[in-house]
Amino acid sequence: MTINAAVIPQLEQQLGDLARQLDADQLHWASGYLAGLAAAGRQNEALVSDSNDRPVFTLWYGSETGNGRGIAQRLAREAESRGFQVELFSTADITPRSIAKLTTLVLVMSTHGEGDPPEEAQALHRFLMSDRAPQLEDLSFAVFALGDSSYPDFCQTGREFDERLAELGARCLLDRVDVDVDFEAEEDQWRSELLGHLERELAPASTSTTMATLQLVKGESQPVHDRRNPFLAEVLEVSPLTVSPSTSSTHHVELLLEDSGLSWMPGDSLGLWPQNDSRLVEEIIEGGKLNAEAEVVRGDETLSVRDWLSQRLELTQLTRPFIEAWAEISGSQNLRALLEDRDALQQYVANRQVADVLVEFPAQCDAETLIGALRGIAPRLYSIASSPLVHPDEVHLTVKQVGELMASGQLRAGVASWQLTERVEPGVQLPVYLEANSRFRLPEDPSTPILMIGPGTGVAPFRAFVQHRQAQGASGKNWLFFGHRNRRTDFLYQLEWQRFQREGALHRLSVAFSRDQAARIYVQHRLREQGREVYDWLEQGGHVYVCGDGQAMAADVHRALIDVVAEQGGHSEAQAVDYLDRLSEQQRYQKDVY
Ligand code: NAP
């Protein structure tokens, strides 16, 4: 390869201008993109281009766990291969007002928590629902809504966007589709219908009316393995992190990703397609007097009853559609009444599994009907607890066992956590894939101090963070706030934290063992106690990370941070809230909670 040295300064200037607009993930992608162009001899194609006459549409996604992003990326890839130009953006990276300039918008939108927008779509949601929202008569749109039918407000956010866009005068191109966590078949059907519609709608000469865009699709290197095509990772090790009689049995799991072609960064998660335990499967087969070997067709797949139940269907989580179907099958008035009472239903599904419903509301039901009524199994995500710099071919996970084997012999446990902690042994292979999380990233500048708040298994990504910063030789200080029930039984990775401290990779460790004394002490107590230093670290440009329970813990930690900033910075409460909002905007306050 030869390059004319005279053009290098200009090239550096141009690439530098572009690079300053990109975050670390986008830079990473851009390097692969440019390499791809070079390899394909396509160096004359511009990165930013809307000057061709290919039909253009805008595709925005709001994703919490990565499913929405995956669906949007697959749509974009197929659209590009069919001759469209796609302007693909996360709703975190758009200016909400720019919607007024669009002509064709496809929105892939998840619902999070109790019917809330995902964090990255909150600004767009607020703007569109407000009085400031513009009239959108020139816009045509289609919404693909994702949700989880084990929660009451299924696909609520997608529904709200769909209704609001119509209210603002936009024209619906294709009826909204609402999908559950087993969305694969509906996604494929929607994608092909939508592209058919767009081909008819969009004249080839239409050009983009939005700002110049970085096309994150073209040339994107697609991993060989993903959710649709998982990699079979060998289990290397499963070892306990807690000591009996812990009430929170937790294990360290190591998986081999050698030769997978997968890459990841600290902050990312591993998706695992779990398998139901044979005890639970046999309980359902015997209870329902089903012929385990009989073949049953569902969608375009034919499997034996046993294989459907162990590999393909969700048995450990209940959903409203299943309760509706079972109320019909069993004719139970009690189940019908439960469906009318939102709170009672929510409580019921949170504390039962499919097998419990079959026992509590017995009914004659053939295998086809039962298999048709159940939801497809969905992968489970675990925060990666190791750094790729330290373990380039492995990912480590921190897995808490959920549920129990009851004295009756019935298993009522979480499907993946039970499989990982009780059933798998070294040598077994598990189907896995990587789920990137660009909103939970170490600071680009290695001299930046970081504060990590991770009670329980929420500590997992921080093991990856500290390993990574040590391997990078990062000079920034690291402070970990860890909480659990008892020091003796639940101090996850205690020896490793102590080694990191000795080696100068962990500068402060604040622990809160909630049940080692009469009154509960949590990580937020430690934040308050050490408010002066916490505030100093923030004032030094520190980044704050919170991982773990998204209900009580994340809210209580947020409250404590407001108090610390107000007290130590001499701010009013409103100013302290603004201070933290600014940290979030600057991506210096990041959460990975659920
Ligand atoms: P946990 O239930 O969160 O308990 C850990 C410690 O937190 C215990 O000492 C507990 O005390 C305490 N705690 C309870 N309420 C609290 C509050 N309001 N504020 C602060 N601390 C509080 O631990 P875990 O069982 O290991 O569960 C961790 C949670 O993190 C799970 O919900 C899991 O799903 C989530 N998680 C999320 C990610 C992610 O990627 N987003 C990764 C890993 C784990 P007491 O029990 O004594 O009250």
Side-chain angles (χ1 to χ4, degrees), residues 94-114:
I94 54 137
T95 311
R97 270 193 315 281
S98 67
I99 196 168
K101 299 188 197 140
L102 301 184
T103 49
T104 311
L105 172 66
V106 177
L107 199 57
V108 176
M109 186 54 61
S110 297
T111 295
H112 182 55
E114 305 295 317

Side-chain angles (χ1 to χ4, degrees), residues 114-295:
E114 305 295 317
D116 301 319
E119 197 172 329
E120 65 182 21
Q122 281 173 6
L124 177 67
H125 189 263
R126 261 196 313 275
F127 173 75
L128 275 187
M129 301 303 149
S130 76
D131 296 342
R132 291 174 298 136
Q135 285 302 302
L136 296 171
E137 274 98 4
D138 295 334
L139 180 70
S140 300
F141 72 97
V143 175
F144 187 79
L146 290 104
D148 179 341
S149 63
S150 58
Y151 289 89
D153 298 303
F154 180 60
C155 291
Q156 173 77 12
T157 303
R159 196 163 45 236
E160 284 170 8
F161 273 116
D162 187 49
E163 287 165 5
R164 184 64 173 154
L165 289 171
E167 220 173 88
L168 295 169
R171 182 175 67 94
C172 180
L173 268 176
L174 184 64
D175 284 348
R176 188 187 75 244
V177 174
D178 294 346
V179 299
D180 210 336
V181 290
D182 58 338
F183 50 75
E184 273 80 4
E186 285 152 301
E187 176 200 345
D188 290 348
Q189 190 184 342
W190 172 78
R191 193 173 53 237
S192 109
E193 268 180 41
L194 177 76
L195 289 176
H197 267 274
L198 290 172
E199 270 162 358
R200 288 189 292 279
E201 286 273 334
L202 297 177
S206 76
T207 53
S208 168
T209 53
T210 62
M211 61 258 181
T213 59
L214 179 69
Q215 295 164 35
L216 288 174
V217 182
K218 194 163 70 174
E220 186 182 67
S221 63
Q222 198 187 343
V224 185
H225 294 287
D226 57 14
R227 180 182 156 120
R228 294 287 189 107
N229 177 28
F231 175 73
L232 283 180
E234 185 184 327
V235 175
L236 296 175
E237 187 188 322
V238 181
S239 52
L241 288 169
T242 46
V243 176
S244 173
S246 169
T247 49
S248 205
S249 171
T250 302
H251 287 65
H252 175 74
V253 177
E254 297 187 353
L255 299 167
L256 184 65
L257 294 197
E258 195 177 15
D259 299 331
S260 64
L262 293 170
S263 61
W264 61 97
M265 295 169 83
D268 289 345
S269 296
L270 188 84
L272 163 74
W273 285 100
Q275 247 192 36
N276 285 307
D277 193 280
S278 58
R279 264 172 296 216
L280 186 59
V281 171
E282 295 311 318
E283 185 188 338
I284 291 175
I285 289 173
E286 281 165 30
K289 299 191 177 58
L290 305 175
N291 173 1
E293 308 312 325
E295 303 234 300

Side-chain angles (χ1 to χ4, degrees), residues 19 25 64 106 117 213 305 319 380 389 404 429 469 516 552 576:
D25 288 343
E64 190 67 40
V106 177
T213 59
V305 169
T319 64
R380 305 310 201 247
L389 293 182
E404 59 175 337
Q429 293 191 320
R469 300 251 285 185
D516 275 350

Side-chain angles (χ1 to χ4, degrees), residues 383 400 457 484-485 514-515 522 524 548-549 556 592 594:
S383 301
K400 178 178 142 166
T457 52
H484 220 314
R485 291 187 169 173
S514 52
R515 301 194 185 193
Y522 294 147
Q524 56 271 27
D549 163 43
D556 291 349
D592 184 8
Y594 55 79

Side-chain angles (χ1 to χ4, degrees), residues 376-389:
I377 202 160
R380 305 310 201 247
L381 290 179
Y382 288 94
S383 301
I384 295 176
S386 56
S387 156
L389 293 182

Side-chain angles (χ1 to χ4, degrees), residues 181-462:
V181 290
D182 58 338
F183 50 75
E184 273 80 4
E186 285 152 301
E187 176 200 345
D188 290 348
Q189 190 184 342
W190 172 78
R191 193 173 53 237
S192 109
E193 268 180 41
L194 177 76
L195 289 176
H197 267 274
L198 290 172
E199 270 162 358
R200 288 189 292 279
E201 286 273 334
L202 297 177
S206 76
T207 53
S208 168
T209 53
T210 62
M211 61 258 181
T213 59
L214 179 69
Q215 295 164 35
L216 288 174
V217 182
K218 194 163 70 174
E220 186 182 67
S221 63
Q222 198 187 343
V224 185
H225 294 287
D226 57 14
R227 180 182 156 120
R228 294 287 189 107
N229 177 28
F231 175 73
L232 283 180
E234 185 184 327
V235 175
L236 296 175
E237 187 188 322
V238 181
S239 52
L241 288 169
T242 46
V243 176
S244 173
S246 169
T247 49
S248 205
S249 171
T250 302
H251 287 65
H252 175 74
V253 177
E254 297 187 353
L255 299 167
L256 184 65
L257 294 197
E258 195 177 15
D259 299 331
S260 64
L262 293 170
S263 61
W264 61 97
M265 295 169 83
D268 289 345
S269 296
L270 188 84
L272 163 74
W273 285 100
Q275 247 192 36
N276 285 307
D277 193 280
S278 58
R279 264 172 296 216
L280 186 59
V281 171
E282 295 311 318
E283 185 188 338
I284 291 175
I285 289 173
E286 281 165 30
K289 299 191 177 58
L290 305 175
N291 173 1
E293 308 312 325
E295 303 234 300
V296 173
V297 183
R298 177 176 145 136
D300 52 12
E301 207 171 10
T302 306
L303 292 174
S304 71
V305 169
R306 180 174 284 114
D307 285 349
W308 274 117
L309 296 176
S310 47
Q311 295 166 22
R312 293 284 191 275
L313 299 172
E314 190 73 67
L315 301 183
T316 62
Q317 283 182 353
L318 282 173
T319 64
R320 186 184 169 93
F322 178 75
I323 301 283
E324 280 168 357
W326 201 256
E328 192 67 30
I329 292 164
S330 64
S332 161
Q333 289 308 325
N334 287 346
L335 268 188
R336 290 212 173 104
L338 194 62
L339 285 162
E340 301 299 315
D341 183 339
R342 182 189 153 100
D343 292 342
L345 180 67
Q346 197 175 356
Q347 213 180 345
Y348 183 86
V349 303
N351 297 308
R352 306 284 198 302
Q353 299 194 349
V354 168
D356 298 314
V357 178
L358 306 193
V359 172
E360 233 176 296
F361 304 97
Q364 283 291 330
C365 177
D366 57 64
E368 285 78 4
T369 311
L370 176 64
I371 285 167
L374 289 167
R375 181 169 79 179
I377 202 160
R380 305 310 201 247
L381 290 179
Y382 288 94
S383 301
I384 295 176
S386 56
S387 156
L389 293 182
V390 181
H391 301 282
D393 293 329
E394 298 171 13
V395 292
H396 300 175
L397 311 176
T398 312
V399 182
K400 178 178 142 166
Q401 202 172 82
V402 178
E404 59 175 337
L405 180 61
M406 303 200 299
S408 60
Q410 291 170 312
L411 182 70
R412 294 294 181 268
V415 57
S417 75
W418 194 263
Q419 183 180 6
L420 286 170
T421 57
E422 287 287 332
R423 283 173 32 220
V424 300
E425 290 183 347
V428 166
Q429 293 191 320
L430 298 173
V432 303
Y433 62 96
L434 260 302
E435 196 65 74
N437 184 358
S438 60
R439 285 176 295 118
F440 206 69
R441 285 282 180 259
L442 278 168
E444 278 170 45
D445 177 354
S447 68
T448 306
I450 61 171
L451 298 109
M452 300 163 280
I453 304 161
T457 52
V459 80
F462 302 137

